[in-house]
Amino acid sequence: MNEENWKTIKKTLGEALELEPSERQAFLSALDAEIRREVESLLAFEEESEDLMRLSAVEFSRDFFDEKPDNALIGQSVGNYRIVSELGYGGMGAVYLATRADGKFAQKVALKLLKREMNTAALRRRFEQERSILASLEHPHIARLLDAGATADKIPFLAMEYVEGVPIDEYCRRHALDLNERLDLFRKVCGAVSFAHRNLVVHRDLKPSNILVNEEGIPKLLDFGISKILSAEFERADSATVTRLGVMTPGYASPEQLENKSVTTATDIYSLGVILYELLSGQRPFEAREGDFKEIYKAVLETEPIPPSAVIPDSGFRVSESKKQNQIPSNQGENQTANQKGQTNPKSEIPNPKSIAGDLDNIVLKALRKEPERRYSSAENLAEDIHRHQRGLPVTARPNTLFYRAEKFIKRNKFSVFAGILAAAALIGGIVATLWQSRVAQAERARAEKRFEDVRALANSFLYEFSPQIENLPGSMSARELLVRRALEYLDNLAREASGDSELQRELARAYEKVGDLQGNPYNPNIGDTNGALESYEKARLIRQMLLDAEPNDRPSQEDLANILKRIGDVHSNGGEYAKASASYDRALELREKIVAAAPQNFEFRASLAELLRARGLIPFYDGDNKKAIEFYARARDLNEQLHREQPENPKISEQYAYIFVAIGEAQGWDNDFRGASVNLQTGLGMLLPLAEKHPNDLSIQRSLQLAYSKRAENHQDLEEFDKSIELYNKALAVAEKSLLADPQSFQAKRDVAICSKKLAQALNDSGKSRESLEKLSVTLKMFQEMSAADPKNSEYPYDIANTRHSIGKTYLTLKDYEAALAAFELARAEFQTVLEKNPNSYAVRMSSYNHEGIGKSCVALAAKGRRREFLQRADEGFRAALAGFERLKAEGNLGEVDSKIIGEIEKQIEQLKGMLDR
């Protein structure tokens, strides 16, 4: 077929596709016979796509289609984006660089468009599948899906994160990475692939051009365009077509892909093996045969690859011209020209094949096994074997013989062994003792290695795989408690032997942190053991501090210490230990600001700083210093605003950005700025509503929505808009009860339900529905008592009990049942006294003072009914105790604006009582 005929066929095919099937016959009958025959054969593709999609890469080449996409799209708008330039193309579509065109914020995206002639039902389903895949993958080393939709003429598109980087092999050459740096980078890629596999996604087209590395050295995995989702939903007949599309890159394809057999995670392991082979040697295993499909097919299926060390010239890498010409990243076309022009220095790369021979050869060859079951069982295991090699430990890719273990031991302990040889030569008589000591040392090393494997197995299997599966499972509390108990037994035993081994100590710290999360992290599902959580966190903190002391400028160690300090602060903050929380937060803040100053453009570092600033702002808020709290919140808001502009579809950032308005509004309300509070609270709630609807199973987002409802309701209560307040409290309670229903044993969910119920009861009392309020307060009090009994060392629950009892007293006052009111206030007085003895924070002082005022009011009312002088004296004592508390808050600068009038009112009450008692 000549080029002119193909252009006519393409145009005619596009016109035919726009017609209904019933109208096509009349249209086709008017065509030239040859053109009609070709168009009909292409139309048959739509009707018979089920069979066509089963073809292998050998049978289904992109060369069947146009060589290049239509450049006429450049400058046009698609959805909210304007196309700038072409980035890449393939058989089904093209990728363009596009910018945000709606004016809301500046953003570059990689826009994937299906070819017009490929816009069939089968391939539209294919696009839908890719969108489903990308939406499920939120990982720092996987390019994110930002948006999806269709053009005006119903051509589907995907807007993806635009990665400004170069292919991983090009990055390694350009930056002359040494062996360990290449292996570290490759292990990050394995981490991204492992994450995809855990989410039941197989990539199926892993190659360097689908792994871009930015200037900060961060790899990003791209193009899940031919991925397969390993779930029952995508194995049904209606989606079998799109999951079996046989498109791949033959040089990186596994034997089972070329044979069109079932694809599993082992397929990606093979492709990772090819990439690692290329990073180590500069060549692919069968690169010389890639020009002929039959040859590459035969080689991949039948020929064993040569070890990578055997193909490296002594002078450095040999990079073939065909390889240079085919390094086209799938969504980064602008950098391609620069890549091709970039200067490399092959002699500055890995110069010595001996550094690869042995373990690394065996690791690569194990990943490239013909039989899927003989490869590494997971990308994580492949990365771990590489890491073991880097640390000088035995790898699973080689037989674990005595000679091999001894060889590894000698390499790890060169100086000790050399010293032993000298001593043996000088002191023949000490040979026996030296041999004995060597055996002891070897046994100790073997035991340490076994212990190291024990903690990795524990951390990876129980803490990081098993635990997340049961965290949100109803009725899993006993399983979680058992997991914590067994984990601590292992970790405490291991800690006794971890000194001097920094890698093992990092594993220990990470595991202690996870156990602490399970025990009592207030922002995670936990078993309610806050004291145990603090003990585990403190063990982790001591290890993190020791590692940072050894390397004060090590950024990962700084991050690790900042993270554990924030965890400790969170537990203290939620437990009412505000002074301790402040100390932990401030140290964490010092580290976080230092980290961000060193890398001001790093997204994750800034996000962590913003989260910490909000947590730090809670402390002055709890202490009544609302203006100071707003200062911290405002810094967090400004940071989150920047982050949200950069990643508007990031759910965690969207949640943080929305909730910071809620936090600011709550502080404004306590500062008596009810109108300002109303604006910020409504802004935050308005942002959280669509986010919660989009992520109905995200417990963190749902809890933020529940809190926003509650804070907005409190604002309506301050404005005496009681009907609106009750409506929103009911919504908050419904969200909290839904979370509790999902995990009936969650202490956090129980406390949320109790607090929502108490606040609703207060609003009911304010609106005149005091009997209904009493019923809810009785249920709430019982819930708080049960939680306190289960976790007696948590100082927050006794406060909740005292505060609820105080609300019961206020409700009885409204009902003019002064005897019951006084009884409730007196019980609350004793309960507040216990709270203040343990933690005299300003929040407890404030509510205790209001409770003393309630005692005074009750006694004044009872004095009119009898025992006049006795009750007037008790009223005077109550008012004076209340006045002392409020004056203390004023002297400490913690008296909020909302309470500013209370001192004068109480002084008037005391003056009136003085006159009554004098008569």
Side-chain angles (χ1 to χ4, degrees), residues 87 105 133 135 141 152 294 297 305 316 356 384 395 494 546 594 635 642 713-715 782 786 833 843 856 886:
L87 295 179
F105 48 83
I133 292 169
H141 299 312
K294 290 182 179 180
Y297 186 96
I356 298 170
E384 173 56 21
V395 301
L494 186 65
M546 178 187 64
K594 184 177 181 180
R635 287 184 62 194
Q642 296 172 10
E714 189 175 330
N715 176 245
K782 185 178 179 181
E786 289 173 352
Q833 183 61 36
Y843 211 64
F886 284 118

PDB file of all heavy atoms in Angstrom, residues 87 105 133 135 141 152 294 297 305 316 356 384 395 494 546 594 635 642 713-715 782 786 833 843 856 886:
ATOM      1  N   LEU A  87       5.215  14.492  23.089  1.00  0.00           N
ATOM      2  CA  LEU A  87       6.219  13.836  23.922  1.00  0.00           C
ATOM      3  C   LEU A  87       6.579  12.450  23.409  1.00  0.00           C
ATOM      4  O   LEU A  87       7.727  12.034  23.482  1.00  0.00           O
ATOM      5  CB  LEU A  87       5.724  13.707  25.369  1.00  0.00           C
ATOM      6  CG  LEU A  87       5.510  15.018  26.128  1.00  0.00           C
ATOM      7  CD1 LEU A  87       4.992  14.733  27.517  1.00  0.00           C
ATOM      8  CD2 LEU A  87       6.799  15.816  26.206  1.00  0.00           C
ATOM      9  N   PHE A 105      -4.381  27.626  38.328  1.00  0.00           N
ATOM     10  CA  PHE A 105      -2.997  27.558  38.776  1.00  0.00           C
ATOM     11  C   PHE A 105      -2.154  27.027  37.631  1.00  0.00           C
ATOM     12  O   PHE A 105      -2.668  26.478  36.660  1.00  0.00           O
ATOM     13  CB  PHE A 105      -2.842  26.664  40.009  1.00  0.00           C
ATOM     14  CG  PHE A 105      -3.532  25.342  39.900  1.00  0.00           C
ATOM     15  CD1 PHE A 105      -2.944  24.269  39.252  1.00  0.00           C
ATOM     16  CD2 PHE A 105      -4.789  25.170  40.447  1.00  0.00           C
ATOM     17  CE1 PHE A 105      -3.565  23.058  39.158  1.00  0.00           C
ATOM     18  CE2 PHE A 105      -5.439  23.949  40.359  1.00  0.00           C
ATOM     19  CZ  PHE A 105      -4.828  22.897  39.707  1.00  0.00           C
ATOM     20  N   ILE A 133      -6.220   1.717  37.114  1.00  0.00           N
ATOM     21  CA  ILE A 133      -4.913   1.313  37.626  1.00  0.00           C
ATOM     22  C   ILE A 133      -4.209   2.503  38.277  1.00  0.00           C
ATOM     23  O   ILE A 133      -3.765   2.450  39.421  1.00  0.00           O
ATOM     24  CB  ILE A 133      -4.042   0.731  36.495  1.00  0.00           C
ATOM     25  CG1 ILE A 133      -4.621  -0.610  36.018  1.00  0.00           C
ATOM     26  CG2 ILE A 133      -2.601   0.548  36.953  1.00  0.00           C
ATOM     27  CD1 ILE A 133      -3.968  -1.103  34.739  1.00  0.00           C
ATOM     28  N   ALA A 135      -5.326   5.347  39.322  1.00  0.00           N
ATOM     29  CA  ALA A 135      -6.018   5.934  40.472  1.00  0.00           C
ATOM     30  C   ALA A 135      -5.713   5.164  41.749  1.00  0.00           C
ATOM     31  O   ALA A 135      -5.786   5.717  42.847  1.00  0.00           O
ATOM     32  CB  ALA A 135      -7.522   5.955  40.219  1.00  0.00           C
ATOM     33  N   HIS A 141       7.347   6.996  44.004  1.00  0.00           N
ATOM     34  CA  HIS A 141       8.147   6.653  42.831  1.00  0.00           C
ATOM     35  C   HIS A 141       7.288   6.167  41.668  1.00  0.00           C
ATOM     36  O   HIS A 141       7.784   5.474  40.777  1.00  0.00           O
ATOM     37  CB  HIS A 141       9.195   5.599  43.197  1.00  0.00           C
ATOM     38  CG  HIS A 141      10.160   6.044  44.237  1.00  0.00           C
ATOM     39  ND1 HIS A 141      10.811   7.260  44.175  1.00  0.00           N
ATOM     40  CD2 HIS A 141      10.579   5.467  45.401  1.00  0.00           C
ATOM     41  CE1 HIS A 141      11.585   7.401  45.225  1.00  0.00           C
ATOM     42  NE2 HIS A 141      11.457   6.337  45.992  1.00  0.00           N
ATOM     43  N   ALA A 152     -14.062  17.028  23.095  1.00  0.00           N
ATOM     44  CA  ALA A 152     -15.396  17.371  22.606  1.00  0.00           C
ATOM     45  C   ALA A 152     -15.950  16.309  21.666  1.00  0.00           C
ATOM     46  O   ALA A 152     -17.165  16.077  21.617  1.00  0.00           O
ATOM     47  CB  ALA A 152     -15.370  18.739  21.910  1.00  0.00           C
ATOM     48  N   LYS A 294      12.036 -13.151  15.085  1.00  0.00           N
ATOM     49  CA  LYS A 294      12.209 -14.595  15.257  1.00  0.00           C
ATOM     50  C   LYS A 294      13.426 -14.900  16.123  1.00  0.00           C
ATOM     51  O   LYS A 294      13.410 -15.790  16.969  1.00  0.00           O
ATOM     52  CB  LYS A 294      12.340 -15.268  13.897  1.00  0.00           C
ATOM     53  CG  LYS A 294      11.054 -15.268  13.086  1.00  0.00           C
ATOM     54  CD  LYS A 294      11.249 -16.011  11.768  1.00  0.00           C
ATOM     55  CE  LYS A 294       9.940 -16.017  10.957  1.00  0.00           C
ATOM     56  NZ  LYS A 294      10.112 -16.730   9.664  1.00  0.00           N
ATOM     57  N   TYR A 297      12.779 -13.825  19.789  1.00  0.00           N
ATOM     58  CA  TYR A 297      11.798 -14.769  20.322  1.00  0.00           C
ATOM     59  C   TYR A 297      12.501 -16.060  20.745  1.00  0.00           C
ATOM     60  O   TYR A 297      12.323 -16.568  21.852  1.00  0.00           O
ATOM     61  CB  TYR A 297      10.746 -15.047  19.252  1.00  0.00           C
ATOM     62  CG  TYR A 297       9.583 -15.906  19.686  1.00  0.00           C
ATOM     63  CD1 TYR A 297       8.391 -15.313  20.118  1.00  0.00           C
ATOM     64  CD2 TYR A 297       9.653 -17.285  19.637  1.00  0.00           C
ATOM     65  CE1 TYR A 297       7.321 -16.097  20.507  1.00  0.00           C
ATOM     66  CE2 TYR A 297       8.586 -18.079  20.023  1.00  0.00           C
ATOM     67  CZ  TYR A 297       7.416 -17.480  20.454  1.00  0.00           C
ATOM     68  OH  TYR A 297       6.350 -18.255  20.837  1.00  0.00           O
ATOM     69  N   PRO A 305      21.149 -16.377  29.137  1.00  0.00           N
ATOM     70  CA  PRO A 305      21.938 -15.146  28.972  1.00  0.00           C
ATOM     71  C   PRO A 305      23.342 -15.278  29.545  1.00  0.00           C
ATOM     72  O   PRO A 305      23.575 -16.022  30.497  1.00  0.00           O
ATOM     73  CB  PRO A 305      21.118 -14.112  29.753  1.00  0.00           C
ATOM     74  CG  PRO A 305      20.331 -14.903  30.739  1.00  0.00           C
ATOM     75  CD  PRO A 305      20.033 -16.214  30.081  1.00  0.00           C
ATOM     76  N   GLY A 316      35.336   0.035  30.288  1.00  0.00           N
ATOM     77  CA  GLY A 316      34.072   0.642  30.697  1.00  0.00           C
ATOM     78  C   GLY A 316      32.932   0.091  29.884  1.00  0.00           C
ATOM     79  O   GLY A 316      33.061  -0.908  29.196  1.00  0.00           O
ATOM     80  N   ILE A 356      31.141  -6.895  39.609  1.00  0.00           N
ATOM     81  CA  ILE A 356      29.820  -7.460  39.305  1.00  0.00           C
ATOM     82  C   ILE A 356      29.839  -8.975  39.361  1.00  0.00           C
ATOM     83  O   ILE A 356      28.832  -9.616  39.703  1.00  0.00           O
ATOM     84  CB  ILE A 356      29.354  -6.979  37.911  1.00  0.00           C
ATOM     85  CG1 ILE A 356      29.218  -5.459  37.913  1.00  0.00           C
ATOM     86  CG2 ILE A 356      28.032  -7.622  37.508  1.00  0.00           C
ATOM     87  CD1 ILE A 356      28.990  -4.879  36.546  1.00  0.00           C
ATOM     88  N   GLU A 384      15.894  -6.859  48.232  1.00  0.00           N
ATOM     89  CA  GLU A 384      16.540  -7.263  49.474  1.00  0.00           C
ATOM     90  C   GLU A 384      17.832  -8.040  49.201  1.00  0.00           C
ATOM     91  O   GLU A 384      18.840  -7.861  49.898  1.00  0.00           O
ATOM     92  CB  GLU A 384      15.575  -8.114  50.310  1.00  0.00           C
ATOM     93  CG  GLU A 384      16.189  -8.734  51.560  1.00  0.00           C
ATOM     94  CD  GLU A 384      16.830  -7.708  52.490  1.00  0.00           C
ATOM     95  OE1 GLU A 384      16.471  -6.507  52.407  1.00  0.00           O
ATOM     96  OE2 GLU A 384      17.718  -8.094  53.259  1.00  0.00           O
ATOM     97  N   VAL A 395      23.704 -13.907  49.710  1.00  0.00           N
ATOM     98  CA  VAL A 395      22.488 -13.650  48.940  1.00  0.00           C
ATOM     99  C   VAL A 395      21.818 -14.973  48.608  1.00  0.00           C
ATOM    100  O   VAL A 395      22.457 -16.022  48.529  1.00  0.00           O
ATOM    101  CB  VAL A 395      22.788 -12.865  47.640  1.00  0.00           C
ATOM    102  CG1 VAL A 395      23.442 -11.542  47.956  1.00  0.00           C
ATOM    103  CG2 VAL A 395      23.663 -13.687  46.697  1.00  0.00           C
ATOM    104  N   LEU A 494      15.756  -8.922  70.531  1.00  0.00           N
ATOM    105  CA  LEU A 494      16.693  -8.526  69.492  1.00  0.00           C
ATOM    106  C   LEU A 494      17.504  -7.301  69.906  1.00  0.00           C
ATOM    107  O   LEU A 494      18.684  -7.177  69.586  1.00  0.00           O
ATOM    108  CB  LEU A 494      15.933  -8.239  68.202  1.00  0.00           C
ATOM    109  CG  LEU A 494      16.783  -7.945  66.966  1.00  0.00           C
ATOM    110  CD1 LEU A 494      17.584  -9.169  66.581  1.00  0.00           C
ATOM    111  CD2 LEU A 494      15.891  -7.527  65.810  1.00  0.00           C
ATOM    112  N   MET A 546      20.613   8.163  68.722  1.00  0.00           N
ATOM    113  CA  MET A 546      21.970   7.617  68.704  1.00  0.00           C
ATOM    114  C   MET A 546      22.523   7.595  67.274  1.00  0.00           C
ATOM    115  O   MET A 546      23.675   7.958  67.032  1.00  0.00           O
ATOM    116  CB  MET A 546      21.957   6.202  69.277  1.00  0.00           C
ATOM    117  CG  MET A 546      23.311   5.503  69.270  1.00  0.00           C
ATOM    118  SD  MET A 546      23.171   3.781  69.775  1.00  0.00           S
ATOM    119  CE  MET A 546      22.149   3.138  68.442  1.00  0.00           C
ATOM    120  N   LYS A 594      15.174  22.582  59.446  1.00  0.00           N
ATOM    121  CA  LYS A 594      16.531  22.371  58.934  1.00  0.00           C
ATOM    122  C   LYS A 594      16.498  21.516  57.669  1.00  0.00           C
ATOM    123  O   LYS A 594      17.201  21.799  56.693  1.00  0.00           O
ATOM    124  CB  LYS A 594      17.369  21.683  60.016  1.00  0.00           C
ATOM    125  CG  LYS A 594      18.836  21.490  59.649  1.00  0.00           C
ATOM    126  CD  LYS A 594      19.594  20.872  60.824  1.00  0.00           C
ATOM    127  CE  LYS A 594      21.072  20.687  60.484  1.00  0.00           C
ATOM    128  NZ  LYS A 594      21.803  20.085  61.642  1.00  0.00           N
ATOM    129  N   ARG A 635       0.951  29.481  59.289  1.00  0.00           N
ATOM    130  CA  ARG A 635       2.132  28.967  58.575  1.00  0.00           C
ATOM    131  C   ARG A 635       1.814  27.647  57.878  1.00  0.00           C
ATOM    132  O   ARG A 635       2.212  27.423  56.733  1.00  0.00           O
ATOM    133  CB  ARG A 635       3.283  28.772  59.568  1.00  0.00           C
ATOM    134  CG  ARG A 635       3.939  30.049  60.061  1.00  0.00           C
ATOM    135  CD  ARG A 635       5.124  29.728  60.965  1.00  0.00           C
ATOM    136  NE  ARG A 635       6.153  28.975  60.244  1.00  0.00           N
ATOM    137  CZ  ARG A 635       7.159  28.348  60.854  1.00  0.00           C
ATOM    138  NH1 ARG A 635       7.258  28.366  62.174  1.00  0.00           N
ATOM    139  NH2 ARG A 635       8.051  27.673  60.136  1.00  0.00           N
ATOM    140  N   GLN A 642       0.495  26.106  48.924  1.00  0.00           N
ATOM    141  CA  GLN A 642       1.498  25.856  47.876  1.00  0.00           C
ATOM    142  C   GLN A 642       1.471  24.399  47.426  1.00  0.00           C
ATOM    143  O   GLN A 642       1.482  24.092  46.238  1.00  0.00           O
ATOM    144  CB  GLN A 642       2.896  26.195  48.412  1.00  0.00           C
ATOM    145  CG  GLN A 642       3.118  27.660  48.761  1.00  0.00           C
ATOM    146  CD  GLN A 642       4.453  27.883  49.458  1.00  0.00           C
ATOM    147  OE1 GLN A 642       5.288  26.994  49.510  1.00  0.00           O
ATOM    148  NE2 GLN A 642       4.649  29.070  50.022  1.00  0.00           N
ATOM    149  N   ALA A 713     -20.783  23.323  63.816  1.00  0.00           N
ATOM    150  CA  ALA A 713     -21.970  23.307  64.666  1.00  0.00           C
ATOM    151  C   ALA A 713     -21.740  24.128  65.924  1.00  0.00           C
ATOM    152  O   ALA A 713     -22.627  24.873  66.375  1.00  0.00           O
ATOM    153  CB  ALA A 713     -22.312  21.864  65.033  1.00  0.00           C
ATOM    154  N   GLU A 714     -20.544  24.022  66.497  1.00  0.00           N
ATOM    155  CA  GLU A 714     -20.210  24.795  67.693  1.00  0.00           C
ATOM    156  C   GLU A 714     -20.257  26.290  67.398  1.00  0.00           C
ATOM    157  O   GLU A 714     -20.694  27.093  68.235  1.00  0.00           O
ATOM    158  CB  GLU A 714     -18.821  24.379  68.172  1.00  0.00           C
ATOM    159  CG  GLU A 714     -18.428  24.947  69.510  1.00  0.00           C
ATOM    160  CD  GLU A 714     -17.097  24.394  69.988  1.00  0.00           C
ATOM    161  OE1 GLU A 714     -16.768  23.249  69.635  1.00  0.00           O
ATOM    162  OE2 GLU A 714     -16.393  25.116  70.718  1.00  0.00           O
ATOM    163  N   ASN A 715     -19.829  26.665  66.190  1.00  0.00           N
ATOM    164  CA  ASN A 715     -19.875  28.069  65.788  1.00  0.00           C
ATOM    165  C   ASN A 715     -21.321  28.558  65.702  1.00  0.00           C
ATOM    166  O   ASN A 715     -21.655  29.660  66.163  1.00  0.00           O
ATOM    167  CB  ASN A 715     -19.172  28.223  64.445  1.00  0.00           C
ATOM    168  CG  ASN A 715     -19.239  29.634  63.891  1.00  0.00           C
ATOM    169  OD1 ASN A 715     -19.852  29.860  62.852  1.00  0.00           O
ATOM    170  ND2 ASN A 715     -18.637  30.604  64.579  1.00  0.00           N
ATOM    171  N   LYS A 782     -21.268   7.125  80.358  1.00  0.00           N
ATOM    172  CA  LYS A 782     -20.970   5.695  80.457  1.00  0.00           C
ATOM    173  C   LYS A 782     -19.860   5.289  79.485  1.00  0.00           C
ATOM    174  O   LYS A 782     -18.971   4.507  79.828  1.00  0.00           O
ATOM    175  CB  LYS A 782     -22.237   4.881  80.194  1.00  0.00           C
ATOM    176  CG  LYS A 782     -22.048   3.389  80.400  1.00  0.00           C
ATOM    177  CD  LYS A 782     -23.356   2.631  80.181  1.00  0.00           C
ATOM    178  CE  LYS A 782     -23.144   1.135  80.377  1.00  0.00           C
ATOM    179  NZ  LYS A 782     -24.402   0.372  80.154  1.00  0.00           N
ATOM    180  N   GLU A 786     -16.149   3.702  80.542  1.00  0.00           N
ATOM    181  CA  GLU A 786     -15.654   2.427  80.015  1.00  0.00           C
ATOM    182  C   GLU A 786     -14.266   2.598  79.384  1.00  0.00           C
ATOM    183  O   GLU A 786     -13.377   1.764  79.571  1.00  0.00           O
ATOM    184  CB  GLU A 786     -16.633   1.874  78.977  1.00  0.00           C
ATOM    185  CG  GLU A 786     -17.941   1.374  79.571  1.00  0.00           C
ATOM    186  CD  GLU A 786     -18.944   0.988  78.497  1.00  0.00           C
ATOM    187  OE1 GLU A 786     -18.670   1.261  77.301  1.00  0.00           O
ATOM    188  OE2 GLU A 786     -19.996   0.425  78.844  1.00  0.00           O
ATOM    189  N   GLN A 833     -10.575  17.896  90.290  1.00  0.00           N
ATOM    190  CA  GLN A 833      -9.439  18.000  91.199  1.00  0.00           C
ATOM    191  C   GLN A 833      -8.410  16.908  90.906  1.00  0.00           C
ATOM    192  O   GLN A 833      -7.190  17.155  90.890  1.00  0.00           O
ATOM    193  CB  GLN A 833      -9.923  17.893  92.649  1.00  0.00           C
ATOM    194  CG  GLN A 833      -8.818  18.068  93.686  1.00  0.00           C
ATOM    195  CD  GLN A 833      -8.144  19.431  93.592  1.00  0.00           C
ATOM    196  OE1 GLN A 833      -8.794  20.447  93.295  1.00  0.00           O
ATOM    197  NE2 GLN A 833      -6.839  19.468  93.824  1.00  0.00           N
ATOM    198  N   TYR A 843      -6.766  24.313  80.084  1.00  0.00           N
ATOM    199  CA  TYR A 843      -8.095  23.848  79.659  1.00  0.00           C
ATOM    200  C   TYR A 843      -8.840  23.259  80.852  1.00  0.00           C
ATOM    201  O   TYR A 843     -10.027  23.527  81.062  1.00  0.00           O
ATOM    202  CB  TYR A 843      -7.920  22.808  78.559  1.00  0.00           C
ATOM    203  CG  TYR A 843      -9.027  22.775  77.547  1.00  0.00           C
ATOM    204  CD1 TYR A 843      -9.265  23.862  76.720  1.00  0.00           C
ATOM    205  CD2 TYR A 843      -9.847  21.658  77.425  1.00  0.00           C
ATOM    206  CE1 TYR A 843     -10.282  23.831  75.788  1.00  0.00           C
ATOM    207  CE2 TYR A 843     -10.870  21.614  76.494  1.00  0.00           C
ATOM    208  CZ  TYR A 843     -11.085  22.705  75.668  1.00  0.00           C
ATOM    209  OH  TYR A 843     -12.108  22.674  74.753  1.00  0.00           O
ATOM    210  N   GLY A 856     -21.824  27.424  92.822  1.00  0.00           N
ATOM    211  CA  GLY A 856     -22.318  28.658  93.415  1.00  0.00           C
ATOM    212  C   GLY A 856     -23.746  28.956  93.015  1.00  0.00           C
ATOM    213  O   GLY A 856     -24.583  29.300  93.865  1.00  0.00           O
ATOM    214  N   PHE A 886     -10.117  31.661  87.306  1.00  0.00           N
ATOM    215  CA  PHE A 886     -10.110  32.564  86.153  1.00  0.00           C
ATOM    216  C   PHE A 886      -9.014  33.625  86.279  1.00  0.00           C
ATOM    217  O   PHE A 886      -8.393  34.016  85.283  1.00  0.00           O
ATOM    218  CB  PHE A 886     -11.477  33.221  85.985  1.00  0.00           C
ATOM    219  CG  PHE A 886     -12.512  32.308  85.409  1.00  0.00           C
ATOM    220  CD1 PHE A 886     -13.650  31.977  86.131  1.00  0.00           C
ATOM    221  CD2 PHE A 886     -12.352  31.757  84.145  1.00  0.00           C
ATOM    222  CE1 PHE A 886     -14.610  31.127  85.603  1.00  0.00           C
ATOM    223  CE2 PHE A 886     -13.310  30.906  83.609  1.00  0.00           C
ATOM    224  CZ  PHE A 886     -14.443  30.580  84.342  1.00  0.00           C
TER     225      PHE A 886
END
